[in-house]
Amino acid sequence: MTKLSVNINKIALVRNSRGGNNPDLIKVATDCEFFGAQGITIHPRPDERHARYADVFALKEVVKTELNIEGNPNTKFMEVVLAAKPHQVTLVPDAPDALTSDNGWNTIKYKEYLKDLILEFKSVGIRTSIFVNADERMIEGAKETGTDRIELYTESYAVNYHTNKESSIAPFIAAAKRAQELGLGINAGHDLNLDNLRYFSQNVPGLLEVSIGHALVSDSLYFGLQNTIGMYIERLK
Ligand code: PXP
């Protein structure tokens, strides 16, 4: 079954808005696991407006499932991730002031750059994943970097799902098939929600993990965190 990794950046955003420790990010992470999540993700950005770099170390102490740290591999990010050694790192080419990730890597242009970074993470035993658009050329480029996995950037699927779900998922099916042929593991994320998740997970072959934050945290305001995690897991069955 596809694993659900809960992105708790939005919890950190609420915490930061008052300067204290409410909600407690670490407690939320352990509760997510208790409620069935099979992984925890954070995305520390240079301005630390959501998750902070210090959160990476604190989470590494408590997360019993899989800790995934995603972000742009700037110097600070590299230093923190290499020291904390989470289970997985997901490299994302987002600009420091980006509201959220808005593109996958150009794995052809940045092949050598990514290759060096991936070697560094793998040398300390961290599984690597790189964020890519559903484009077979980018998947082939990803293979050349030596990464273990790719994370498919699902925003275009989510945006077009209600207009034409067959055409919106077609590039993701093709990309996943190519990744499978090349022996790459497949993760996915961005804008997945209770409406579009089941169709995605039922149709994209070999999907190992989805990372979901914004919609899941928003849904939990209505359904509660425990129910909401259960509902997302049910969509992945
Ligand atoms: N994957 C990556 C690389 C992301 O940057 C994000 C958002 O931080 C997600 C997945 C999760 O997206 P969402 O918050 O829309 O579920």
Side-chain angles (χ1 to χ4, degrees), residues 85-100:
K85 299 188 185 63
H87 301 92
Q88 176 176 271
V89 63
T90 301
L91 305 181
V92 184
D94 58 340
D97 58 350
L99 260 188
T100 181

Side-chain angles (χ1 to χ4, degrees), residues 77-89:
F77 181 91
M78 294 292 295
E79 193 185 295
V80 167
V81 174
L82 288 167
K85 299 188 185 63
H87 301 92
Q88 176 176 271
V89 63

Side-chain angles (χ1 to χ4, degrees), residues 54-74:
D55 293 327
V56 175
F57 294 99
L59 287 169
K60 180 61 205 295
E61 293 295 310
V62 299
V63 169
K64 301 261 185 310
T65 53
E66 285 206 356
L67 179 61
N68 174 47
I69 307 297
E70 59 179 40
N72 189 313
N74 58 47

Side-chain angles (χ1 to χ4, degrees), residues 7 43 45 70 90 92 100-101 131 151 189-192 211-215:
N7 180 321
H43 188 141
R45 290 193 164 85
E70 59 179 40
T90 301
V92 184
T100 181
S101 311
F131 197 51
E151 180 181 326
H190 221 286
D191 297 297
L192 294 174
S211 128
I212 307 183
H214 186 81

